[in-house]
Structures are given as C-alpha cells and as structure tokens.
Amino acid sequence: MNPLFDHPYVLTMQNVFLLGLLIASAILIFLKRNNSPYFLTSLPLFALTFHQVEEYIISPALFGEAYHFLNWAYRSGLEILPVEVVAINLGAITAALILYLFKPSTKLFALIFLFANSMSLANAALHLGVATLQTDFSPGMITALLLFLPLFVKSVLIASERLVSINTIFALSICGFIVHFGLIARVNIFEGSRNLPAKAWLI
C-alpha cells in the first residue's frame, strides 16, 4: 500500500471532499428547485466532489483500506504523493467553479463545459480501463460510469445545439484527454526522485 495514504494532507483533503459534496449537493438542489439555468453549471462540481468522496471515503469504508484511491493507484503503478493530492484535486475543484463565471446560454460556456467534461471522461476511461484489465473494482468507477460519462454526452449535445462544429468538439475532447493524462504523467515524471525521503516531497 502507499505508505503515505493516511498522511495529514490526505486526511484534510478527504474532509474537503466531503464538505465540497455537501455544498455542491445543496447548490444543486437549490438551483433545481428554482429552475435556474445555472443548474447545468452545478453538475460538474457535484459529479467531481461525489467522485472524490467515492475514491477516498466510500470505497475504503466499504471494501477496506486496500481500496482507498491512493492504495489502488499504488498497486496500479502510480505513486501519488500527499502534496499532489492537494494540488490536483483543488485544481479540479477550481476548474469546476470557473464555470459559474459564464452564462449557461452562451457558446463560450458550451466550449468550456465540453472541455471540463472531456477531462472527466478521460478520468472515467482510466478507471474503467484499469478495472477491466485488472478484473477488479476501481475506487471511483461508479461515479465515473454514472456521472462523468453522461455529463460528457450532455456537453457534446449542448455544444451541438450552440452550433459548435464537429471538428471543434472533437479537438476539445482530445485536448481534455491530453490535459488529464498529462497531469497523470506529471505525477510520476521524476521517477528517480521517488527514492528521496518522504519529507523531501512534503513541501
């Protein structure tokens, strides 16, 4: 198992994920009840925080510590450090919040919404692909399947309704995959540095 999966940074982030899900759920319900066009805007944040809670809290609670996301990733050959948990996940939450800066009725919103959900689709592909190869459960695969995939389809439909060309939709989708898997590559890019004492990374 990842020796740092219960590091204080990770435990703090788990509380952030849970609080984020509660806030995202409240916003989602409020916007839905008020028939707000920003209900659409609230979906990525809800999906993301639910996904994070599944990865870090629900899965290990149901199946044991071996299915904490960091331990699953470690077994899959991806060593994620506590500082990276903070940076990557806070970055994803920030990206979901940026959507609120744009009117849902605009073409620009459709483009950003598509790009954001393309990155989520890449995340879903990773979970489902590795789970299939391992013939084992991947923490996060349920929300990836039930939330990320439908949101990507919805984002493509919205982009089409806003007269975004097929070429642009395809290009943005590929860019989302590249950015997501680029971040994953960044996590393990300095393989030699992984042998440094843990404190060297906790900055």
Side-chain angles (χ1 to χ4, degrees):
M1 292 197 295
N2 188 325
L4 298 174
F5 85 96
D6 57 353
H7 186 276
Y9 286 7
V10 178
L11 298 178
T12 298
M13 286 306 297
Q14 289 175 182
N15 291 330
V16 171
F17 299 153
L18 187 57
L19 178 61
L21 177 59
L22 292 174
I23 294 173
S25 300
I27 293 172
L28 190 77
I29 293 170
F30 174 80
L31 295 175
K32 179 64 176 178
R33 287 181 175 176
N34 288 275
N35 295 317
S36 171
Y38 283 92
F39 172 75
L40 182 66
T41 308
S42 68
L43 292 175
L45 180 62
F46 171 77
L48 174 63
T49 53
F50 202 163
H51 180 71
Q52 291 166 333
V53 167
E54 183 193 352
E55 289 180 323
Y56 287 83
I57 299 175
I58 297 176
S59 292
L62 292 177
F63 306 115
E65 290 181 347
Y67 288 93
H68 185 285
F69 175 74
L70 295 189
N71 292 330
W72 170 81
Y74 193 79
R75 292 198 306 276
S76 302
L78 184 64
E79 185 177 355
I80 303 173
L81 296 163
V83 69
E84 293 164 339
V85 173
V86 175
I88 292 173
N89 286 288
L90 284 183
I93 290 174
T94 300
L97 289 172
I98 286 174
L99 282 169
Y100 285 93
L101 299 177
F102 304 92
K103 292 183 178 180
S105 59
T106 64
K107 187 174 183 178
L108 180 58
F109 172 86
L111 294 172
I112 298 172
F113 191 71
L114 173 62
F115 178 72
N117 286 301
S118 296
M119 288 193 289
S120 295
L121 180 66
N123 186 291
L126 174 67
H127 280 284
L128 299 175
V130 174
T132 300
L133 290 173
Q134 294 179 338
T135 62
D136 193 12
F137 177 76
S138 163
M141 66 181 292
I142 303 302
T143 46
L145 180 63
L146 298 182
L147 295 177
F148 286 167
L149 290 179
L151 266 177
F152 174 74
V153 173
K154 180 67 174 177
S155 68
V156 170
L157 294 175
I158 291 172
S160 298
E161 291 172 358
R162 308 279 162 81
L163 302 180
V164 177
S165 70
I166 295 298
N167 289 339
T168 301
I169 291 174
F170 179 76
L172 275 177
S173 300
I174 294 299
C175 286
F177 267 73
I178 291 173
V179 170
H180 181 270
F181 286 105
L183 288 172
I184 292 177
R186 166 62 185 84
V187 167
N188 270 348
I189 195 168
F190 300 111
E191 289 294 340
S193 299
R194 295 298 179 179
N195 296 321
L196 292 174
K199 289 183 180 179
W201 285 91
L202 305 179
I203 57 176

